Structure formats: structure tokens, C-alpha cells
Amino acid sequence: MLIDALLLIIGLLLLVKGADIFVTASVGIARKLEIPTTIIALTIVAMGTSAPEAVVSISASIRHSNALAIGSIVGTNFFNLMLIVGLCAIIKPISVHVKEIALDFWVSIFAAAALLAVMVLSPTGHISRFASLLFLLGFLLFMGYSIWHALKHRTEEQLHHGKERPMWLNILLVVVGFAAVLGGGELAVTGALDVAYTIGMTERVVGLTILAMGTSLPELVISISACRRGENDFAIVNVAGTNLFNILGILGVSGLVSPLSIDPALIQDAAVLFVSSLLTLAFVYFSKGLSRIQGAVMVAIFVVYTAYILIV
């Protein structure tokens, strides 16, 4: 048990640090190639910070641990939305009108609704390869539009001309970071499954709690750091982009690797995620932002539902 827990912790640490190294080095390469910062943010940073979730979910899918694959994504999105955004609102109220919310937020709500619909309406009790392909195509279309829009509106100021690390060093760090993410993901999934079997936790609960929180550390660090700098409206956009990538991109790939059987309890979890997304939208729509009280409500919802998952 102790060794399994240690493997899990080491795996999560490798995931988080590997993702950080991978993102930093990839951004360095992109800047050397004079790629606009908006494109870097939409692609490398967004995908890099979601690398832990991707490796965990795809690795679980290969092992046919479907509840772990789906649960880690649903749990991660719930953690991102309720806890991270809620904490940012508590640190400093978020002032933003619903019309100013990036397209990412609307697509993330659509993604949550699509996942719930597929899980409820699936005639086979699986997220099929066809549904996964539709998820992935939706993600690629969204990314294509986002990149096109960013290129269309780019300015000279969006090109970085500062001093950067040598290209060879960035390439080396990309390889090191990617290897750490892959190795960490393997250790995290193995450790999580062994811990679950030892203490009697289901794969669903492990995915929704331990793995979801562990793989969300990059988003937590980035968002809290932005909030402390006064850029707390960034939290909504960052979380929205990550959440839509998790569902459409990661689950899309995971479901193509192997059709994902649906644990009936996960339908409830997906429904809670969708309702939470609508609640966040309602808060922003009626209050033109998120107050500290609303942030506290979001954090309380996260704590209560997480406790419910662990107890029940």
C-alpha cells in the first residue's frame, strides 16, 4: 500500500513538472520561429497544461479502465470550474459580462452537454468510436477557427523578440518534459489503480478525486498566479479552454483507442458538471462577473459533492 501510494505521488509530481518543462521549452521553440503569442497560448500552452490529463486518460483507456478514463476527465473539469474559478473569485471578484466571455466558455458548456447526452442516449452503454470521432472533429474545428481568428487579428506586438534559450536546449527540454509526462502518467495510473484495489475505492472515485486533483495542479497554479496579478478574468478563459480540450480532445482520442464503457454513476457526475457550467454562466450573466460570495458558493459545491463521492 505504501509503495503504491508513493508511486502515485511520484507519478503526479513527474506529470506536473514534466508538463511545465514541456510547455516552457515548446514556447521557447515557438518564439524562436516567431509564432504569435496568441497561437502559442491557444495550442502549446493549452495542450501542454492538459498533458497530464491526456496521458492518464489515454493510458487508462489502453488498460480498459474506462471508469478511470472518464472519471478523471469529468473530475478534472469539475475541479477546474468549481474550485479554481471559485478560489479566484474569492481572491478578487471577477468582473466580466457574459457577452465578453470568450468562445471557449460557450464551447466548454456545449462539450459538457454533448458528453452528458452521449452517456445518457448511448444504446450500447459505451462512448463509441463514432461519438469519440465526432468529439475529436469538433475539437479540431474549434482549434482551426481559433488559430485562423488569431492570425487574422494578430499584430506586430504579438511577436516575441526577446532573448531566448538556444534552440538545441529547448528541443532537449521538450524531449525530457515529454518523457517525464509519459513516465509520470504510467506511474500515476498504476499507483492509483493499486491504491483503489487495496482500500476498496472504485476506479470512478479514484478518477474523480485523486487523479483529477493531481492532474489539475498546472491549471490551479497558472490560474491562482494570474489572480494574484489581478488578471482573474483569465481564470474563466483558461479553465474553459482546458475543459473543452479535456472532453472533445482527450476523451475523443481515448474513445478512439478503445470504446469507453459507461459506469451508470458517471452519468450523475457528468450531469453535475453540466449543471455547474450552467450555474457559472448564470452567475456571470446576472452579476456581470463573479463575486466573493458566488466564488465561495462554487467552492462549497465542490467540497460537498467531493465529500459525497467519497462517502457514498
Side-chain angles (χ1 to χ4, degrees), residues 35-36 38-44 47 139-154:
I35 297 174
T38 49
I39 304 300
I40 295 173
L42 283 168
T43 55
I44 298 171
M47 295 181 189
F139 171 72
L140 293 175
L141 286 172
F142 172 77
M143 288 301 299
Y145 169 80
S146 298
I147 292 173
W148 170 82
H149 185 269
L151 287 172
K152 184 179 178 180
H153 295 88
R154 70 176 175 177

Side-chain angles (χ1 to χ4, degrees), residues 65-86:
S65 299
N66 299 312
L68 195 68
I70 301 174
S72 63
I73 294 300
V74 173
T76 293
N77 283 15
F78 184 63
F79 179 94
N80 290 346
L81 189 63
M82 290 289 101
L83 186 66
I84 294 180
V85 176

Side-chain angles (χ1 to χ4, degrees), residues 27-227:
V27 168
I29 293 174
R31 285 175 172 168
K32 279 284 187 181
L33 299 175
E34 294 196 332
I35 297 174
T37 54
T38 49
I39 304 300
I40 295 173
L42 283 168
T43 55
I44 298 171
V45 175
M47 295 181 189
T49 55
S50 292
E53 291 92 333
V55 172
V56 166
S57 183
I58 294 171
S59 177
S61 176
I62 293 173
R63 293 166 177 257
H64 300 289
S65 299
N66 299 312
L68 195 68
I70 301 174
S72 63
I73 294 300
V74 173
T76 293
N77 283 15
F78 184 63
F79 179 94
N80 290 346
L81 189 63
M82 290 289 101
L83 186 66
I84 294 180
V85 176
L87 285 175
C88 284
I90 292 174
I91 292 173
K92 184 178 180 181
I94 300 173
S95 178
V96 58
H97 193 274
V98 68
K99 292 181 180 179
E100 299 170 352
I101 293 179
L103 180 62
D104 303 44
F105 189 75
W106 296 103
V107 178
S108 70
I109 293 178
F110 169 78
L115 175 61
L116 179 59
V118 167
M119 294 176 73
V120 171
L121 301 176
S122 173
T124 62
H126 291 75
I127 298 178
S128 66
R129 283 193 170 95
F130 178 71
S132 300
L133 180 61
L134 291 179
F135 281 175
L136 192 55
L137 288 175
F139 171 72
L140 293 175
L141 286 172
F142 172 77
M143 288 301 299
Y145 169 80
S146 298
I147 292 173
W148 170 82
H149 185 269
L151 287 172
K152 184 179 178 180
H153 295 88
R154 70 176 175 177
T155 62
E156 182 65 22
E157 288 72 22
Q158 291 176 323
L159 297 176
H160 186 88
H161 299 287
K163 184 179 179 181
E164 299 289 344
R165 282 190 302 236
M167 179 67 86
W168 68 267
L169 181 57
N170 282 321
I171 294 174
L172 175 62
L173 290 175
V174 163
V175 174
V176 171
F178 187 66
V181 169
L182 288 179
E186 182 66 20
L187 287 176
V189 171
T190 300
L193 288 174
D194 290 341
V195 168
Y197 296 146
T198 301
I199 65 178
M201 291 178 69
T202 65
E203 291 183 6
R204 163 185 168 258
V205 173
V206 173
L208 286 167
T209 55
I210 299 173
L211 288 180
M213 296 178 193
T215 57
S216 291
L217 290 178
E219 288 83 4
L220 177 63
V221 172
I222 290 172
S223 296
I224 295 299
S225 176
C227 292

Side-chain angles (χ1 to χ4, degrees), residues 81 84-97 101 223 227 230-237 280 283-284 287-292 294-295 298:
L81 189 63
I84 294 180
V85 176
L87 285 175
C88 284
I90 292 174
I91 292 173
K92 184 178 180 181
I94 300 173
S95 178
V96 58
H97 193 274
I101 293 179
S223 296
C227 292
E231 302 169 357
N232 56 344
D233 55 336
F234 169 82
I236 293 182
V237 177
T280 305
F283 280 165
V284 173
S287 304
K288 296 183 179 181
L290 291 171
S291 66
R292 285 193 172 92
Q294 291 167 330
M298 294 169 71

